[in-house]
Each structure stands twice: as structure tokens, then as C-alpha cells.
Amino acid sequence: MSILKNEIIIPHEKFIRWFWRIIGVLVFLHIALQGIHYYVQELPWLLREILDMDEEESFATWFSSIFLFISSILLFSIAHSKENDAYARHWYGLALGFCLLSVDEVVGVHETFNTITEVAWTVPATWVILIIFLIYLKFLFHLPPAARKQFLIAGSVFLGGGLLVEHLADFYVEAFDMDNFGYQMLTAFEEFLEMAGVVLFIKALGNYLINDNSDVVLINIKIK
């Protein structure tokens, strides 16, 4: 990374490759440790916790929060550059939304929701997402076709993990409990889809920001 005048220049593809490697390592460690725990020898809880992709106090949660925050920064950068655009508020809304998702990843607001009601948080979340989708429909069709396609793919992957797989995991827990290897595989798949969706979105945002088909992302920042 280097700084030229008012711009921070970030090698786009290099960062994305490292993000995929991080996700791969986290998934591998989660599966390996859970496999050892359930089929070889019981492992200490603290060791499992920091490498369990489903736990709040873990490396996976930390990286998930970072990925979401990076998305928020990129969205704020785009929004700032489009302040006179008709859809500037939509960009700012997305930026704020991803910032809140980053906070929730660590704080665990949606998990707290499940402790105060018998209704799974995925149910109201699905309705909220449908409403947001309708609000953003014109915004999506305003985007260039390539960006629209990439945004929709990234969103589908993320929501497939965050809503669909997590909802299936709730049914699994009711039938088989959560203290088993099968549940751990479901949570690994869920978290993988969520992280993969965010990384795909970061890549899509990077492609949107790229100038003149270069391999860097230019983020305009005033430097005094």
C-alpha cells in the first residue's frame, strides 16, 4: 500500500487472495479441531472456543467483523464521491448497514434477540431484508450490469449462510442437539458462506472503484 497525493492505493486482487486464504485456514482449523474433539480425544473448551467459527470470542468472528468493516469503509468512500448523485443516500445507507453488521458480529445483538423471544431472529430479519431489497430495487437497476450481478451474487451467498443455513441449523438442533460433529459442520458451512459473501462483495466494490481497468483500488482521502 502506498500514498500518492490525495489517494491511498491498495492492491485489490492481492488483498482478496489473502482474504480467501484466511477463510480457508479458519474453516480447516474449525473442522480439524471438531473432528479431533468428537472422534479422537476431547479437547479443552478454551482451545475449541477461539477456533470455533460459531463462537463470538474467536478468530473467525474477529475476521468476519473486519471484512464487514472493510466493506463499510469502501461503501462510505463511494458514497462520499457521489454526494451529488441521486442514489448517494443509498450508498450511505449500505455503508451504515455494514458498519452495524460489523458491530453486531462482535457484540452479538441477534444472538441476544433469541434469548428474549421464542421467535428465531432469522424470521424478522427475512422480512426486514425483503423490505430493504424493495427500497433498493431502483438502485440496483441503476448500477452497471456487471456491478449489479456481482452485488446480487455476493448478497445471495451471504444471506444463504446468514439466514437459510442458520435457520436449518435451528431445526437440526431441535432434532439432534448441538453437541455433535454434524452441527459443527453446519456452523462451519454457515460461517463460510457469510464470510465468502462479504469477500465477494469487497471484490465487487473494489471492481466498482477501479479506475481505468488498473489492478488497484483508489480511495480518495484528503490529506492535510
Side-chain angles (χ1 to χ4, degrees):
M1 181 174 69
S2 60
I3 299 178
L4 295 177
K5 297 181 180 179
N6 292 0
E7 295 172 337
I8 294 180
I9 301 179
I10 305 173
H12 177 45
E13 294 297 334
K14 184 182 293 186
F15 271 72
I16 296 300
R17 285 195 295 270
W18 273 106
F19 292 162
W20 285 120
R21 289 167 185 161
I22 289 169
I23 294 174
V25 170
L26 290 171
V27 172
F28 172 78
L29 290 174
H30 174 93
I31 294 175
L33 261 68
Q34 298 300 337
I36 293 171
H37 176 74
Y38 285 105
Y39 296 114
V40 181
Q41 181 178 346
E42 186 173 337
L43 296 174
W45 163 243
L46 290 178
L47 174 61
R48 290 172 56 210
E49 182 182 32
I50 62 173
L51 296 173
D52 189 332
M53 299 186 73
D54 195 41
E55 291 297 327
E56 296 302 309
E57 297 178 358
S58 68
F59 289 112
T61 298
W62 184 63
F63 277 112
S64 292
S65 181
I66 289 174
F67 293 158
L68 288 164
F69 190 64
I70 290 172
S71 298
S72 179
I73 291 173
L74 292 174
L75 286 163
F76 269 118
S77 177
I78 294 172
H80 181 70
S81 69
K82 295 180 176 292
E83 287 190 339
N84 298 322
D85 189 270
Y87 292 95
R89 287 182 299 178
H90 290 74
W91 288 108
Y92 276 117
L94 284 174
L96 178 60
F98 272 82
C99 184
L100 293 176
L101 286 174
S102 175
V103 172
D104 176 64
E105 194 67 24
V106 176
V107 177
V109 176
H110 65 282
E111 284 90 354
T112 303
F113 179 87
N114 282 347
T115 66
I116 60 177
T117 177
E118 293 182 359
V119 179
W121 73 268
T122 53
V123 176
T126 300
W127 287 104
V128 170
I129 289 167
L130 284 174
I131 293 170
I132 292 174
F133 180 78
L134 291 175
I135 293 172
Y136 272 78
L137 200 55
K138 288 185 179 180
F139 167 81
L140 282 171
F141 281 100
H142 174 75
L143 293 171
R148 180 168 62 248
K149 179 181 178 181
Q150 292 168 4
F151 281 23
L152 287 173
I153 291 173
S156 298
V157 173
F158 178 79
L159 294 176
L163 292 181
L164 180 59
V165 178
E166 180 151 344
H167 201 59
L168 291 174
D170 290 338
F171 287 110
Y172 183 93
V173 170
E174 290 181 6
F176 304 105
D177 198 30
M178 63 173 60
D179 189 15
N180 55 69
F181 187 70
Y183 176 76
Q184 297 301 330
M185 293 305 95
L186 267 178
T187 58
F189 185 47
E190 171 201 332
E191 297 298 331
F192 166 75
L193 287 178
E194 288 185 23
M195 296 177 81
V198 179
V199 170
L200 287 172
F201 189 56
I202 292 173
K203 183 175 182 179
L205 291 172
N207 290 338
Y208 188 85
L209 280 164
I210 284 175
N211 294 339
D212 301 322
N213 298 318
S214 66
D215 62 348
V216 298
V217 177
L218 302 182
I219 303 177
N220 293 323
I221 297 177
K222 292 182 179 179
I223 300 174
K224 297 181 180 180

